[in-house]
Amino acid sequence: MQDIERFIRGFGRFQQQYLSEPSARDSLRSGQHPATLVIGCCDSRVDPALLTGCDPGDIFVVRNIANLVPPCTPDASPGVTSAIEFAVCALEVARIVVLGHARCGGIRALMQGGRVTEETDFVARWMQVAEPVREQVLRALPDKHEEGRCRAAEQASILHSLDNLMSYPWIRRRVEDGKLALHGWYFDIESGSLLAYSPRKQEFLNLVQPLDAAA
């Protein structure tokens, strides 16, 4: 019950901050016009709106385990692909950010090759989207310790999702026409930093410095 009461109090604060003015309510009622789609992980520590300080209506968010995008195939997950299609084709977002993070449980399960729960194999089946990442990391880093392999896979999975986004004709067309930009970001929980992939340097570079460096 304590959590429920906390949620109710939280909504009260939301109500006062975003709904107390008629103009604010009118803005929300008039529809959504986000310029950015964020594809993030379900992990409770990495809420995209909280991480980026966004207000309601600022970003369109798709969340799933390990922030994956399946390739454009007839059996691709309709839950993920329909949301991406809506954001790109109906809302006409200007950019897509694939937001991965350190200490991702889905990626750890992928690298360990096991099931997350004893109930079903839904998670394991979903993580098959990233099986090429697992194979790539194991080939490239056969002697690396587990933590190092998981970090490499967390970042490689972001690039894998970016590649898979380009397999959708309506995304590729907009990217090639300069109407849509794709970004890969990585939230490093360990250092408190935010990194972005640089295609030119082919590595993740700091967008926001680690806390120690910033201090």
Side-chain angles (χ1 to χ4, degrees):
M1 285 301 296
Q2 288 182 343
D3 274 350
I4 296 298
E5 293 169 359
R6 176 186 174 190
F7 299 156
I8 295 171
R9 290 195 302 269
F11 182 81
R13 291 191 296 271
F14 170 86
Q15 184 186 63
Q16 289 301 311
Q17 183 173 357
Y18 294 109
L19 303 177
S20 58
E21 294 293 332
S23 60
R25 290 200 302 275
D26 289 343
S27 176
L28 292 181
R29 281 201 299 261
S30 67
Q32 58 172 328
H33 309 283
T36 301
L37 162 64
V38 178
I39 300 172
C41 183
C42 293
D43 193 303
S44 58
R45 301 166 294 177
V46 291
D47 183 294
L50 283 176
L51 289 180
T52 56
C54 285
D55 293 325
D58 285 349
I59 56 175
F60 190 86
V61 180
V62 177
R63 298 181 72 176
N64 61 66
I65 291 178
N67 43 268
L68 299 179
V69 176
C72 185
T73 60
D75 59 348
S77 167
V80 173
T81 54
S82 63
I84 295 173
E85 180 184 27
F86 181 76
V88 173
C89 300
L91 298 177
E92 298 183 334
V93 295
R95 68 194 62 84
I96 301 175
V97 177
V98 178
L99 175 61
H101 67 97
R103 299 282 177 175
C104 179
I107 294 296
R108 184 172 297 276
L110 170 74
M111 296 308 296
Q112 292 176 345
R115 294 170 63 172
V116 176
T117 74
E118 297 301 321
E119 298 298 326
T120 67
D121 62 349
F122 289 144
V123 176
R125 284 161 53 191
W126 170 246
M127 291 308 300
Q128 288 175 3
V129 171
E131 182 59 28
V133 170
R134 178 176 179 270
E135 295 172 358
Q136 172 192 348
V137 170
L138 291 179
R139 280 197 310 269
L141 304 172
D143 301 321
K144 193 80 169 178
H145 55 79
E146 182 182 18
E147 293 301 321
R149 285 199 297 266
C150 283
R151 183 180 178 88
E154 288 159 358
Q155 296 187 349
S157 69
I158 296 172
L159 306 185
H160 184 61
S161 286
L162 291 174
D163 287 342
N164 284 346
L165 282 170
M166 290 295 285
S167 71
Y168 294 82
W170 31 274
I171 289 179
R172 174 175 289 277
R173 183 171 62 251
R174 286 170 170 80
V175 171
E176 292 175 346
D177 290 345
K179 297 179 179 178
L180 181 66
L182 306 184
H183 304 270
W185 286 6
Y186 180 77
F187 170 40
D188 190 341
I189 296 175
E190 306 284 353
S191 67
S193 61
L194 180 66
L195 298 85
Y197 183 72
S198 168
R200 185 172 64 86
K201 294 195 173 182
Q202 296 188 340
E203 62 179 319
F204 281 85
L205 303 176
N206 282 325
L207 279 178
V208 180
Q209 295 288 338
L211 286 169
D212 292 342

